Amino acid sequence: MTQKDEIRQLHALLQYKNRWYIEYSAPFNPIFEDIAELAKEYANDRLSSMSVNNLYNRYLKWAKEDHIMPPNSSYYHVFMDDIVWDLGLRALKRRDKDLYCESIVLRIKFN
């Protein structure tokens, strides 16, 4: 199976919103929670509407970079966590981006 085929399977999975969700971790503070919730909603909307080609192109770009792989983590799961976090960052204003980068983590979870 090629990488493109694996990305197609991942994309097919993302089309079923009942099979995945995005969660966040943030300091217990209303400001951080509001920022995290905004980023989460934006990432959720964008991820579910992403095309196969867009997902594949993001994967190719991501695969060229160095990554820290946590023990027992899937390569594609780390890739998806990175995409979700990057999408969340796009939704924010400058001040909020700084807080997001310092303190908030978005992750995709599969059911």
Side-chain angles (χ1 to χ4, degrees):
M1 181 177 286
T2 67
Q3 286 180 337
K4 182 81 172 192
D5 293 334
E6 291 174 347
I7 295 297
R8 281 189 186 111
Q9 286 183 344
L10 185 57
H11 181 266
L13 177 64
L14 293 175
Q15 301 312 300
Y16 298 98
K17 284 190 142 192
N18 63 337
R19 294 188 180 177
W20 59 273
Y21 60 96
I22 296 173
E23 68 178 19
Y24 65 83
S25 62
F28 185 70
N29 179 312
I31 293 171
F32 286 104
E33 290 177 355
D34 289 346
I35 292 169
E37 192 62 40
L38 177 65
K40 175 185 156 187
E41 292 303 317
Y42 183 84
N44 194 5
D45 289 343
R46 294 293 178 241
L47 190 59
S48 62
S49 64
M50 190 175 287
S51 71
V52 173
N53 285 335
N54 190 335
L55 189 62
Y56 184 64
N57 289 336
R58 284 176 178 267
Y59 174 75
L60 292 176
K61 183 179 176 185
W62 180 87
K64 290 179 183 176
E65 302 168 355
D66 291 330
H67 303 283
I68 297 172
M69 296 294 292
N72 301 325
S73 290
S74 158
Y75 193 70
Y76 288 107
H77 199 102
V78 173
F79 162 64
M80 291 306 300
D81 281 346
D82 286 353
I83 283 184
V84 167
W85 192 87
D86 289 345
L87 288 172
L89 183 64
R90 288 183 172 188
L92 305 173
K93 297 177 185 168
R94 185 177 182 127
R95 179 188 67 92
D96 294 344
K97 284 182 180 184
D98 292 339
L99 295 174
Y100 181 78
C101 290
E102 293 174 10
S103 305
I104 298 171
V105 175
L106 290 186
R107 294 187 189 269
I108 189 167
K109 299 288 186 175
F110 295 95
N111 297 331

